[in-house]
Amino acid sequence: SQQGEEDPQALSIQEGENATMNCSYKTSINNLQWYRQNSGRGLVHLILIRSNEREKHSGRLRVTLDTSKKSSSLLITASRAADTASYFCVASGGSYIPTFGRGTSLIVHP
Amino acid sequence: GAVVSQHPSRVICKSGTSVKIECRSLDFQATTMFWYRQFPKQSLMLMATSNEGSKATYEQGVEKDKFLINHASLTLSTLTVTSAHPEDSSFYICSARDTGGSYEQYFGPGTRLTVT
């Protein structure tokens, strides 16, 4: 199975600062996705980056993918208190079954 | 982009009753769907792989008679929690693989089950 493992497990920052979280996976992938989950709520799809892409932007989000290092990063710029949530990466490809890591718990203090 | 929906988003049921959760791929075909479960403050754990037209494959430790999975069409898989107990209270999430095209996989928003 493919596993996304997020780092750090917890991140606490002040509103307005940037937040960076990383993800590592084990084998070749077709794409990697980032999801957000607010406490007690469902998954919200943030962004998908394909294996032939190196960087992707969506609003205040910037995702990079380094297939040689089997890693990805999610950058949230100018963070807001509403960004407080857990963030998960999911790597998938071919017939592999994506599995989740523990996620990064982000707290943005107002 | 591709969308996976789940219904209901929240359900409360009494102990001993059964609950059915639906997972639909809205704009792509998915011969393979997956069901995950999330306990509070923990990651999502794969429960089973649902295959259209055949039996589901369950992960070790998941009771197949407890969690019935039916994948009767290319866009719909259902998970039925039978004779639910309070310990079945959890967050259930499905995902669907676009087997008709990109082979990319998308996740539904999840269903929160509370058994009283």
Side-chain angles (χ1 to χ4, degrees):
Chain A
S1 61
Q2 290 280 12
Q3 182 173 33
E5 200 64 51
E6 298 84 0
D7 172 66
Q9 289 190 15
L11 184 58
S12 181
I13 59 175
Q14 292 296 127
E15 204 167 32
E17 295 179 340
N18 295 341
T20 300
M21 51 204 87
N22 304 297
C23 169
S24 60
Y25 57 92
K26 294 183 177 178
T27 59
S28 297
I29 62 170
N30 287 348
N31 69 75
L32 187 141
Q33 301 176 60
W34 285 91
Y35 286 84
R36 184 185 74 220
Q37 185 180 36
N38 290 78
S39 180
R41 308 293 290 273
L43 289 178
V44 175
H45 183 262
L46 295 178
I47 198 165
L48 179 152
I49 186 166
R50 293 188 170 83
S51 60
N52 61 352
E53 298 174 309
R54 291 296 167 259
E55 187 171 312
K56 204 164 183 178
H57 296 255
S58 177
R60 293 185 296 113
L61 305 180
R62 172 176 168 257
V63 169
T64 63
L65 180 64
D66 187 336
T67 53
S68 66
K69 295 181 180 179
K70 294 184 171 56
S71 67
S72 173
S73 68
L74 170 67
L75 168 67
I76 304 173
T77 60
S79 63
R80 305 167 182 167
D83 295 328
T84 294
S86 291
Y87 293 81
F88 296 92
C89 67
V90 184
S92 59
S95 60
Y96 293 120
I97 301 172
T99 56
F100 282 78
R102 294 176 182 273
T104 291
S105 175
L106 172 66
I107 298 175
V108 182
H109 299 280
Chain B
V3 177
V4 175
S5 70
Q6 281 185 240
H7 177 79
S9 58
R10 290 176 178 266
V11 58
I12 300 173
C13 72
K14 292 186 177 180
S15 188
T17 61
S18 295
V19 174
K20 180 185 286 188
I21 302 170
E22 293 185 349
C23 176
R24 292 181 187 274
S25 57
L26 297 186
D27 53 2
F28 62 94
Q29 293 183 347
T31 57
T32 305
M33 293 185 178
F34 306 91
W35 288 96
Y36 296 79
R37 180 175 181 176
Q38 184 184 38
F39 291 102
K41 300 186 185 301
Q42 295 190 27
S43 185
L44 289 83
M45 301 301 296
L46 180 67
M47 297 175 64
T49 302
S50 170
N51 302 297
E52 188 264 338
S54 65
K55 292 182 179 180
T57 303
Y58 291 82
E59 295 298 300
Q60 191 172 10
V62 178
E63 300 175 58
K64 61 180 181 181
D65 295 330
K66 174 83 175 165
F67 300 99
L68 299 179
I69 292 172
N70 183 277
H71 193 154
S73 79
L74 290 174
T75 59
L76 173 66
S77 175
T78 61
L79 169 69
T80 301
V81 182
T82 62
S83 187
H85 290 283
E87 57 264 33
D88 298 325
S89 297
S90 190
F91 195 64
Y92 294 88
I93 297 174
C94 74
S95 71
R97 176 177 287 155
D98 182 0
T99 46
S102 68
Y103 253 78
E104 291 175 345
Q105 189 152 336
Y106 303 93
F107 288 81
T111 296
R112 180 159 301 284
L113 169 64
T114 303
V115 184
T116 60

